[in-house]
Amino acid sequence: MKAGIVGLPNVGKSTLFNCLSNAKAQSANFPFCTIEPNIGVVNVPDPRLQKLESLVNPERVLPATVEIVDIAGLVKGASKGEGLGNQFLGNIRETDAILHVLRCFDNDNIVHVDGSVDPIRDKETIDMELQLKDLETVDKKLEKVKRAAKTGNKEAQKEEAVLLSIKSGLEAGVSIRAINISKEDRKEFVTPLQFITDKPVMYVCNVDEESAVNGNAYVDKVKSNVANENAEVIFLAVGTEADITELETYEERQMFLEDLGLSEPGSGKLIRGAYKLLNLETYFTAGVKEVRAWTIPVGATAPQAAGVIHTDFEKGFIRAEVIAYDDFVVFGSESKVKEAGKMRVEGKEYIVKDGDVMHFRFNV
């Protein structure tokens, strides 16, 4: 599952990406490895993992990860191939969620491609290019569907109606994620087409250091502008975050954060936000060999969660032994949880809860 960083040139995208790449994330066990020059696998900061580590004292600890992709800056006309338009749109189509960086700070020394700072205009520039690309997709699909609908095919007529509502929304400048479509129709007719403006989005407002704690008027404008999109909005001072990652020790980084009035770096907040945006959650396995966070989609069943470890676990699933994270912390060990009668045995229908500590029984 990948989240792509997008935005106009010079809004702080690459600085943010480099920040995440260097985020010694406030402890030594927050590595970042680059698969390609513009794709990084970033650990998801999770205090529960550190707590389990302190209780179990394992040989190693493995956190959950999320892929972040730094996508080339977009310019007007990208939908027609201007700049790196085609490459940009191809890259973004391959991601599962969008982190849209908006410049929300004034600085005469940093040139803005449109000559002035206006995050709403910037957002609309990118939205329009993405909407135009989605409009192409709708028009191509409509050609085929209309032919089938004319023959009296009821399913095709239903799909035509949904696609026409998307077309009129896009022509009015509305992204597909903000168009009112029933859950069933969205699943059947919209999701398979992989529309760019249907992907979940988080707006990342890049602010100056003075606004790092409370945001500013630009951020307020963005929040109000995207209220109907069901989108996340966060703000962080990307330049300041870059300065923090340059510091050598955890103590130095903590002192810098405290001076700013922050409890943690914004990069941690962003990575957790991206994880949530991708509709992912975590369960844990905890033993003396390793304590590990495993990533599953929200709503996964116990066998599906087992399959993340190994496909044999899913195929031969018998049962899951489950401890709620809070119970593990209260009683301090698996054996004490068992003594207290707090370990549950769950079957194939069990929907895993975020934070469950699990052990699987299987037979292949």
Side-chain angles (χ1 to χ4, degrees), residues 14 21 39 42 46 50 58 85 106 115 128 131 137 144 146 160 172 184 198 231 235 283 288 296 298 330 350 357:
S14 292
S21 73
I39 300 182
V42 190
D46 191 333
Q50 276 72 49
D106 295 305
M128 189 193 298
Q131 286 159 5
T137 306
K144 293 177 187 169
K146 277 181 172 172
E160 183 186 19
E184 296 74 28
D198 191 38
F235 56 86
Y283 77 86
V288 288
I296 51 171
V298 172
V330 167
Y350 178 66
V357 181

PDB file of all heavy atoms in Angstrom, residues 14 21 39 42 46 50 58 85 106 115 128 131 137 144 146 160 172 184 198 231 235 283 288 296 298 330 350 357:
ATOM      1  N   SER A  14       9.705  17.616  -1.783  1.00  0.00           N
ATOM      2  CA  SER A  14      10.936  16.827  -1.677  1.00  0.00           C
ATOM      3  C   SER A  14      11.596  17.000  -0.317  1.00  0.00           C
ATOM      4  O   SER A  14      12.168  16.064   0.223  1.00  0.00           O
ATOM      5  CB  SER A  14      11.911  17.196  -2.793  1.00  0.00           C
ATOM      6  OG  SER A  14      11.351  16.760  -4.020  1.00  0.00           O
ATOM      7  N   SER A  21      12.744  10.492   5.093  1.00  0.00           N
ATOM      8  CA  SER A  21      13.815   9.541   4.804  1.00  0.00           C
ATOM      9  C   SER A  21      14.893   9.599   5.878  1.00  0.00           C
ATOM     10  O   SER A  21      15.596   8.634   6.107  1.00  0.00           O
ATOM     11  CB  SER A  21      14.438   9.823   3.444  1.00  0.00           C
ATOM     12  OG  SER A  21      15.228  10.970   3.481  1.00  0.00           O
ATOM     13  N   ILE A  39      11.043   6.303  -3.867  1.00  0.00           N
ATOM     14  CA  ILE A  39      10.116   5.495  -3.063  1.00  0.00           C
ATOM     15  C   ILE A  39      10.796   5.121  -1.762  1.00  0.00           C
ATOM     16  O   ILE A  39      11.928   4.642  -1.775  1.00  0.00           O
ATOM     17  CB  ILE A  39       9.686   4.192  -3.779  1.00  0.00           C
ATOM     18  CG1 ILE A  39       8.991   4.511  -5.101  1.00  0.00           C
ATOM     19  CG2 ILE A  39       8.747   3.370  -2.887  1.00  0.00           C
ATOM     20  CD1 ILE A  39       8.498   3.292  -5.848  1.00  0.00           C
ATOM     21  N   VAL A  42       8.778   3.576   5.191  1.00  0.00           N
ATOM     22  CA  VAL A  42       8.932   4.304   6.445  1.00  0.00           C
ATOM     23  C   VAL A  42       8.236   3.539   7.563  1.00  0.00           C
ATOM     24  O   VAL A  42       7.120   3.067   7.395  1.00  0.00           O
ATOM     25  CB  VAL A  42       8.286   5.709   6.327  1.00  0.00           C
ATOM     26  CG1 VAL A  42       8.653   6.573   7.518  1.00  0.00           C
ATOM     27  CG2 VAL A  42       8.709   6.392   5.045  1.00  0.00           C
ATOM     28  N   ASP A  46       4.790   3.893  16.722  1.00  0.00           N
ATOM     29  CA  ASP A  46       3.692   3.337  17.516  1.00  0.00           C
ATOM     30  C   ASP A  46       4.186   3.082  18.935  1.00  0.00           C
ATOM     31  O   ASP A  46       4.930   2.129  19.187  1.00  0.00           O
ATOM     32  CB  ASP A  46       3.219   2.018  16.874  1.00  0.00           C
ATOM     33  CG  ASP A  46       1.909   1.514  17.465  1.00  0.00           C
ATOM     34  OD1 ASP A  46       1.623   1.826  18.640  1.00  0.00           O
ATOM     35  OD2 ASP A  46       1.180   0.789  16.767  1.00  0.00           O
ATOM     36  N   GLN A  50       6.835  -0.015  21.641  1.00  0.00           N
ATOM     37  CA  GLN A  50       7.872   0.200  22.659  1.00  0.00           C
ATOM     38  C   GLN A  50       7.432  -0.377  24.009  1.00  0.00           C
ATOM     39  O   GLN A  50       8.229  -0.941  24.739  1.00  0.00           O
ATOM     40  CB  GLN A  50       8.183   1.697  22.811  1.00  0.00           C
ATOM     41  CG  GLN A  50       9.182   2.240  21.797  1.00  0.00           C
ATOM     42  CD  GLN A  50       8.591   2.349  20.400  1.00  0.00           C
ATOM     43  OE1 GLN A  50       7.515   2.884  20.197  1.00  0.00           O
ATOM     44  NE2 GLN A  50       9.298   1.808  19.415  1.00  0.00           N
ATOM     45  N   PRO A  58      12.307  -8.710  23.932  1.00  0.00           N
ATOM     46  CA  PRO A  58      12.607  -9.667  22.859  1.00  0.00           C
ATOM     47  C   PRO A  58      13.998  -9.442  22.264  1.00  0.00           C
ATOM     48  O   PRO A  58      14.647  -8.432  22.548  1.00  0.00           O
ATOM     49  CB  PRO A  58      11.536  -9.347  21.817  1.00  0.00           C
ATOM     50  CG  PRO A  58      11.338  -7.867  21.986  1.00  0.00           C
ATOM     51  CD  PRO A  58      11.521  -7.571  23.449  1.00  0.00           C
ATOM     52  N   GLY A  85       3.930  15.632 -16.983  1.00  0.00           N
ATOM     53  CA  GLY A  85       2.529  15.300 -16.729  1.00  0.00           C
ATOM     54  C   GLY A  85       2.162  13.842 -16.817  1.00  0.00           C
ATOM     55  O   GLY A  85       1.565  13.291 -15.901  1.00  0.00           O
ATOM     56  N   ASP A 106       4.572  32.414   4.082  1.00  0.00           N
ATOM     57  CA  ASP A 106       5.104  33.516   3.268  1.00  0.00           C
ATOM     58  C   ASP A 106       6.618  33.532   3.397  1.00  0.00           C
ATOM     59  O   ASP A 106       7.142  33.414   4.510  1.00  0.00           O
ATOM     60  CB  ASP A 106       4.549  34.861   3.761  1.00  0.00           C
ATOM     61  CG  ASP A 106       3.042  34.953   3.551  1.00  0.00           C
ATOM     62  OD1 ASP A 106       2.601  34.775   2.408  1.00  0.00           O
ATOM     63  OD2 ASP A 106       2.314  35.181   4.538  1.00  0.00           O
ATOM     64  N   GLY A 115       3.563  33.131  -8.499  1.00  0.00           N
ATOM     65  CA  GLY A 115       3.869  34.509  -8.093  1.00  0.00           C
ATOM     66  C   GLY A 115       3.357  34.948  -6.742  1.00  0.00           C
ATOM     67  O   GLY A 115       3.745  36.005  -6.247  1.00  0.00           O
ATOM     68  N   MET A 128      -7.798  20.312 -10.774  1.00  0.00           N
ATOM     69  CA  MET A 128      -8.307  20.419 -12.147  1.00  0.00           C
ATOM     70  C   MET A 128      -7.581  19.445 -13.075  1.00  0.00           C
ATOM     71  O   MET A 128      -8.213  18.761 -13.885  1.00  0.00           O
ATOM     72  CB  MET A 128      -8.153  21.856 -12.665  1.00  0.00           C
ATOM     73  CG  MET A 128      -8.864  22.049 -14.008  1.00  0.00           C
ATOM     74  SD  MET A 128      -8.385  23.591 -14.806  1.00  0.00           S
ATOM     75  CE  MET A 128      -8.932  24.795 -13.622  1.00  0.00           C
ATOM     76  N   GLN A 131      -8.789  15.998 -12.242  1.00  0.00           N
ATOM     77  CA  GLN A 131     -10.189  15.837 -12.689  1.00  0.00           C
ATOM     78  C   GLN A 131     -10.260  15.664 -14.209  1.00  0.00           C
ATOM     79  O   GLN A 131     -11.039  14.853 -14.711  1.00  0.00           O
ATOM     80  CB  GLN A 131     -11.014  17.048 -12.238  1.00  0.00           C
ATOM     81  CG  GLN A 131     -11.315  17.043 -10.742  1.00  0.00           C
ATOM     82  CD  GLN A 131     -11.657  18.425 -10.199  1.00  0.00           C
ATOM     83  OE1 GLN A 131     -11.763  19.397 -10.941  1.00  0.00           O
ATOM     84  NE2 GLN A 131     -11.816  18.523  -8.893  1.00  0.00           N
ATOM     85  N   THR A 137     -11.053   9.198 -18.530  1.00  0.00           N
ATOM     86  CA  THR A 137     -11.377   7.808 -18.179  1.00  0.00           C
ATOM     87  C   THR A 137     -12.882   7.574 -18.254  1.00  0.00           C
ATOM     88  O   THR A 137     -13.345   6.569 -18.798  1.00  0.00           O
ATOM     89  CB  THR A 137     -10.865   7.492 -16.748  1.00  0.00           C
ATOM     90  OG1 THR A 137      -9.477   7.811 -16.675  1.00  0.00           O
ATOM     91  CG2 THR A 137     -11.072   6.037 -16.379  1.00  0.00           C
ATOM     92  N   LYS A 144     -18.403   2.721 -24.233  1.00  0.00           N
ATOM     93  CA  LYS A 144     -18.734   1.291 -24.228  1.00  0.00           C
ATOM     94  C   LYS A 144     -20.072   1.040 -23.552  1.00  0.00           C
ATOM     95  O   LYS A 144     -20.908   0.287 -24.053  1.00  0.00           O
ATOM     96  CB  LYS A 144     -17.647   0.507 -23.487  1.00  0.00           C
ATOM     97  CG  LYS A 144     -16.303   0.499 -24.185  1.00  0.00           C
ATOM     98  CD  LYS A 144     -15.271  -0.244 -23.338  1.00  0.00           C
ATOM     99  CE  LYS A 144     -13.881  -0.112 -23.964  1.00  0.00           C
ATOM    100  NZ  LYS A 144     -12.820  -0.578 -23.066  1.00  0.00           N
ATOM    101  N   LYS A 146     -22.659   3.006 -22.984  1.00  0.00           N
ATOM    102  CA  LYS A 146     -23.849   3.534 -23.687  1.00  0.00           C
ATOM    103  C   LYS A 146     -24.359   2.558 -24.738  1.00  0.00           C
ATOM    104  O   LYS A 146     -25.561   2.388 -24.913  1.00  0.00           O
ATOM    105  CB  LYS A 146     -23.531   4.895 -24.337  1.00  0.00           C
ATOM    106  CG  LYS A 146     -23.644   6.056 -23.363  1.00  0.00           C
ATOM    107  CD  LYS A 146     -23.341   7.382 -24.030  1.00  0.00           C
ATOM    108  CE  LYS A 146     -23.646   8.537 -23.076  1.00  0.00           C
ATOM    109  NZ  LYS A 146     -23.198   9.819 -23.618  1.00  0.00           N
ATOM    110  N   GLU A 160     -24.394   3.468 -16.551  1.00  0.00           N
ATOM    111  CA  GLU A 160     -24.403   4.715 -17.327  1.00  0.00           C
ATOM    112  C   GLU A 160     -24.840   5.894 -16.456  1.00  0.00           C
ATOM    113  O   GLU A 160     -24.236   6.969 -16.485  1.00  0.00           O
ATOM    114  CB  GLU A 160     -25.339   4.576 -18.538  1.00  0.00           C
ATOM    115  CG  GLU A 160     -25.332   5.815 -19.432  1.00  0.00           C
ATOM    116  CD  GLU A 160     -26.356   5.742 -20.554  1.00  0.00           C
ATOM    117  OE1 GLU A 160     -27.318   4.941 -20.461  1.00  0.00           O
ATOM    118  OE2 GLU A 160     -26.203   6.499 -21.527  1.00  0.00           O
ATOM    119  N   ALA A 172     -18.011  20.086 -13.256  1.00  0.00           N
ATOM    120  CA  ALA A 172     -18.287  21.225 -12.360  1.00  0.00           C
ATOM    121  C   ALA A 172     -17.137  21.449 -11.376  1.00  0.00           C
ATOM    122  O   ALA A 172     -17.238  22.262 -10.458  1.00  0.00           O
ATOM    123  CB  ALA A 172     -19.582  20.963 -11.586  1.00  0.00           C
ATOM    124  N   GLU A 184     -22.801   0.886  -2.598  1.00  0.00           N
ATOM    125  CA  GLU A 184     -22.853  -0.273  -3.511  1.00  0.00           C
ATOM    126  C   GLU A 184     -22.407   0.133  -4.926  1.00  0.00           C
ATOM    127  O   GLU A 184     -21.605  -0.546  -5.559  1.00  0.00           O
ATOM    128  CB  GLU A 184     -24.278  -0.852  -3.595  1.00  0.00           C
ATOM    129  CG  GLU A 184     -24.818  -1.424  -2.295  1.00  0.00           C
ATOM    130  CD  GLU A 184     -25.208  -0.350  -1.274  1.00  0.00           C
ATOM    131  OE1 GLU A 184     -25.570   0.777  -1.697  1.00  0.00           O
ATOM    132  OE2 GLU A 184     -25.126  -0.625  -0.070  1.00  0.00           O
ATOM    133  N   ASP A 198     -10.727   9.819  -6.790  1.00  0.00           N
ATOM    134  CA  ASP A 198     -11.504   9.018  -5.846  1.00  0.00           C
ATOM    135  C   ASP A 198     -10.614   8.510  -4.715  1.00  0.00           C
ATOM    136  O   ASP A 198     -11.098   7.982  -3.723  1.00  0.00           O
ATOM    137  CB  ASP A 198     -12.155   7.828  -6.574  1.00  0.00           C
ATOM    138  CG  ASP A 198     -13.193   7.117  -5.721  1.00  0.00           C
ATOM    139  OD1 ASP A 198     -13.924   7.810  -4.979  1.00  0.00           O
ATOM    140  OD2 ASP A 198     -13.272   5.869  -5.770  1.00  0.00           O
ATOM    141  N   ALA A 231     -11.802  14.620   3.860  1.00  0.00           N
ATOM    142  CA  ALA A 231     -10.343  14.517   3.754  1.00  0.00           C
ATOM    143  C   ALA A 231      -9.705  14.916   5.080  1.00  0.00           C
ATOM    144  O   ALA A 231     -10.279  15.676   5.855  1.00  0.00           O
ATOM    145  CB  ALA A 231      -9.842  15.448   2.647  1.00  0.00           C
ATOM    146  N   PHE A 235      -1.049  20.054   9.576  1.00  0.00           N
ATOM    147  CA  PHE A 235      -0.062  21.093   9.239  1.00  0.00           C
ATOM    148  C   PHE A 235       1.247  20.772   9.950  1.00  0.00           C
ATOM    149  O   PHE A 235       1.257  20.235  11.052  1.00  0.00           O
ATOM    150  CB  PHE A 235      -0.573  22.495   9.621  1.00  0.00           C
ATOM    151  CG  PHE A 235      -0.972  22.646  11.058  1.00  0.00           C
ATOM    152  CD1 PHE A 235      -0.033  22.977  12.031  1.00  0.00           C
ATOM    153  CD2 PHE A 235      -2.293  22.448  11.455  1.00  0.00           C
ATOM    154  CE1 PHE A 235      -0.402  23.113  13.360  1.00  0.00           C
ATOM    155  CE2 PHE A 235      -2.672  22.587  12.783  1.00  0.00           C
ATOM    156  CZ  PHE A 235      -1.726  22.923  13.731  1.00  0.00           C
ATOM    157  N   TYR A 283      -1.903  -5.362  14.204  1.00  0.00           N
ATOM    158  CA  TYR A 283      -1.969  -6.300  15.326  1.00  0.00           C
ATOM    159  C   TYR A 283      -0.534  -6.696  15.653  1.00  0.00           C
ATOM    160  O   TYR A 283       0.384  -6.466  14.860  1.00  0.00           O
ATOM    161  CB  TYR A 283      -2.865  -7.507  15.013  1.00  0.00           C
ATOM    162  CG  TYR A 283      -2.276  -8.575  14.127  1.00  0.00           C
ATOM    163  CD1 TYR A 283      -1.495  -9.610  14.651  1.00  0.00           C
ATOM    164  CD2 TYR A 283      -2.486  -8.569  12.747  1.00  0.00           C
ATOM    165  CE1 TYR A 283      -0.955 -10.588  13.828  1.00  0.00           C
ATOM    166  CE2 TYR A 283      -1.949  -9.552  11.918  1.00  0.00           C
ATOM    167  CZ  TYR A 283      -1.170 -10.558  12.471  1.00  0.00           C
ATOM    168  OH  TYR A 283      -0.629 -11.519  11.668  1.00  0.00           O
ATOM    169  N   VAL A 288       9.689 -14.011  22.887  1.00  0.00           N
ATOM    170  CA  VAL A 288      11.075 -13.680  23.238  1.00  0.00           C
ATOM    171  C   VAL A 288      11.954 -13.491  21.997  1.00  0.00           C
ATOM    172  O   VAL A 288      12.937 -12.766  22.029  1.00  0.00           O
ATOM    173  CB  VAL A 288      11.704 -14.763  24.156  1.00  0.00           C
ATOM    174  CG1 VAL A 288      11.107 -14.698  25.542  1.00  0.00           C
ATOM    175  CG2 VAL A 288      11.553 -16.147  23.562  1.00  0.00           C
ATOM    176  N   ILE A 296      -2.592  -4.897   8.607  1.00  0.00           N
ATOM    177  CA  ILE A 296      -3.762  -5.521   7.966  1.00  0.00           C
ATOM    178  C   ILE A 296      -4.754  -4.431   7.575  1.00  0.00           C
ATOM    179  O   ILE A 296      -4.769  -3.359   8.180  1.00  0.00           O
ATOM    180  CB  ILE A 296      -4.475  -6.527   8.915  1.00  0.00           C
ATOM    181  CG1 ILE A 296      -4.769  -5.873  10.277  1.00  0.00           C
ATOM    182  CG2 ILE A 296      -3.674  -7.804   9.071  1.00  0.00           C
ATOM    183  CD1 ILE A 296      -5.651  -6.697  11.187  1.00  0.00           C
ATOM    184  N   VAL A 298      -8.299  -2.617   7.672  1.00  0.00           N
ATOM    185  CA  VAL A 298      -9.374  -2.556   8.673  1.00  0.00           C
ATOM    186  C   VAL A 298     -10.470  -3.538   8.259  1.00  0.00           C
ATOM    187  O   VAL A 298     -10.854  -3.596   7.086  1.00  0.00           O
ATOM    188  CB  VAL A 298      -9.938  -1.115   8.761  1.00  0.00           C
ATOM    189  CG1 VAL A 298     -11.174  -1.071   9.654  1.00  0.00           C
ATOM    190  CG2 VAL A 298      -8.871  -0.158   9.286  1.00  0.00           C
ATOM    191  N   VAL A 330      -1.773  -4.306  31.373  1.00  0.00           N
ATOM    192  CA  VAL A 330      -2.215  -4.358  32.777  1.00  0.00           C
ATOM    193  C   VAL A 330      -1.584  -5.550  33.504  1.00  0.00           C
ATOM    194  O   VAL A 330      -1.070  -5.418  34.619  1.00  0.00           O
ATOM    195  CB  VAL A 330      -3.762  -4.425  32.868  1.00  0.00           C
ATOM    196  CG1 VAL A 330      -4.210  -4.801  34.278  1.00  0.00           C
ATOM    197  CG2 VAL A 330      -4.375  -3.091  32.454  1.00  0.00           C
ATOM    198  N   TYR A 350     -13.775 -14.166  13.360  1.00  0.00           N
ATOM    199  CA  TYR A 350     -13.361 -13.050  14.225  1.00  0.00           C
ATOM    200  C   TYR A 350     -12.764 -11.907  13.406  1.00  0.00           C
ATOM    201  O   TYR A 350     -11.892 -12.113  12.561  1.00  0.00           O
ATOM    202  CB  TYR A 350     -12.342 -13.531  15.260  1.00  0.00           C
ATOM    203  CG  TYR A 350     -11.824 -12.428  16.154  1.00  0.00           C
ATOM    204  CD1 TYR A 350     -12.670 -11.779  17.052  1.00  0.00           C
ATOM    205  CD2 TYR A 350     -10.488 -12.002  16.088  1.00  0.00           C
ATOM    206  CE1 TYR A 350     -12.196 -10.750  17.865  1.00  0.00           C
ATOM    207  CE2 TYR A 350     -10.011 -10.987  16.897  1.00  0.00           C
ATOM    208  CZ  TYR A 350     -10.876 -10.355  17.785  1.00  0.00           C
ATOM    209  OH  TYR A 350     -10.422  -9.331  18.571  1.00  0.00           O
ATOM    210  N   VAL A 357      -3.065  -8.550  20.454  1.00  0.00           N
ATOM    211  CA  VAL A 357      -1.842  -9.359  20.499  1.00  0.00           C
ATOM    212  C   VAL A 357      -2.291 -10.790  20.198  1.00  0.00           C
ATOM    213  O   VAL A 357      -3.145 -11.334  20.894  1.00  0.00           O
ATOM    214  CB  VAL A 357      -1.154  -9.270  21.873  1.00  0.00           C
ATOM    215  CG1 VAL A 357       0.132 -10.096  21.885  1.00  0.00           C
ATOM    216  CG2 VAL A 357      -0.850  -7.809  22.224  1.00  0.00           C
TER     217      VAL A 357
END
